[in-house]
């Protein structure tokens, strides 16, 4: 496996379900990100973890809960979501510091809330 | 063809033509810029970057131009191919932002065979 891997690729869940999105990076990077991508909107930053510490939480509702157990893994735990939360959720990683060259994205999880 | 990223989000070109995608960035303190390509069903993919101490950078079939005076970034694709069809995003990083990228809305490029 290379790059940034996200699972599952597609997820359909009811509003009362609990599910988790998983992201794994194989690049040796020290920062990881969750983004939400909705139709006709710019990418929305949700959470940033740098050196396994959450450094940013962009006013995201508490029904989204991130977890970063180590520098290679990132989770997004979901519970009691709303239909407007349906979107493509993208994970990214980067090497912050002197050698920053932007983010490497995974292919995303297409989430549909019914 | 030419597109102003946030105002005209679609660009249609003929195969073999050159494409120009434009982006107006917001922050004069931004000092690092990246173009990403996102194909259907995939995440954004790095194409080319440029730092604020440069005004032009070339890659394979792609060129990025930076005009700091008017805060304008453009991506030129030479001899556009059907495989270039995708949404293209510009991203800017402001110095001191702790490596946070701000993304534009994106421009959909469609290449007609």
């Amino acid at each position: 496996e290379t790059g940034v891997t996200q699972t599952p690729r597609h997820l359909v869940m009811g509003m009362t379900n609990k599910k988790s999105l998983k992201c794994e990076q194989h690049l040796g990077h020290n920062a990881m990100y969750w983004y939400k991508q909705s139709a006709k909107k710019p990418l929305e930053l949700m959470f940033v973890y740098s050196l396994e510490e959450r450094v940013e939480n962009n006013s995201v509702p508490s029904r989204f809960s991130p977890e970063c157990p180590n520098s290679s893994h990132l989770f997004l735990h979901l519970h009691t979501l709303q239909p407007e939360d349906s979107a493509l959720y993208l994970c990214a990683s980067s090497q912050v510091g002197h050698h920053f060259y932007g983010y490497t994205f995974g292919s995303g999880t297409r989430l549909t809330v019914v | 063809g030419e597109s102003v990223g946030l105002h005209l989000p679609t660009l249609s070109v003929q195969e073999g033509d050159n494409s120009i995608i434009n982006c107006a960035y917001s922050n004069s303190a931004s000092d690092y810029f990246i173009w990403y390509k996102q194909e259907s069903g995939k995440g954004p993919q790095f194409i080319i970057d440029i730092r604020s101490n440069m005004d032009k950078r070339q890659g394979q079939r792609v060129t990025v131009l930076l005009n700091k005076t008017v805060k304008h970034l453009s991506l030129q694709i030479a001899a556009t191919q059907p495989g270039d069809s995708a949404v293209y995003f510009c991203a800017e990083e402001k110095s001191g932002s702790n490596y946070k990228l701000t993304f534009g809305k994106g421009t959909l490029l469609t290449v007609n065979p």
Side-chain angles (χ1 to χ4, degrees), chain A residues 5-73:
Chain A
T5 304
Q6 288 188 245
T7 55
R9 290 296 309 274
H10 301 273
L11 178 62
V12 179
M13 60 186 289
M15 289 188 282
T16 58
N17 290 161
K18 288 185 181 181
K19 296 286 185 183
S20 296
L21 311 185
K22 179 183 176 182
C23 178
E24 183 174 0
Q25 59 99 357
H26 310 270
L27 301 166
H29 287 166
N30 58 12
M32 296 187 77
Y33 310 80
W34 279 116
Y35 275 86
K36 177 182 178 182
Q37 187 175 37
S38 305
K40 300 182 180 179
K41 283 187 178 181
L43 287 162
E44 299 173 66
L45 178 64
M46 299 176 73
F47 301 103
V48 179
Y49 277 84
S50 181
L51 301 172
E52 300 164 44
E53 182 181 337
R54 190 192 309 182
V55 297
E56 185 145 351
N57 175 346
N58 257 9
S59 302
V60 178
S62 59
R63 57 185 183 269
F64 295 90
S65 174
E67 179 190 1
C68 187
N70 56 59
S71 61
S72 299
H73 294 86

Side-chain angles (χ1 to χ4, degrees), chain B residues 74-89:
Chain B
S74 69
L75 176 69
Q76 300 178 0
I77 305 173
T80 314
Q81 301 168 1
D84 295 325
S85 295
V87 176
Y88 290 81
F89 295 94

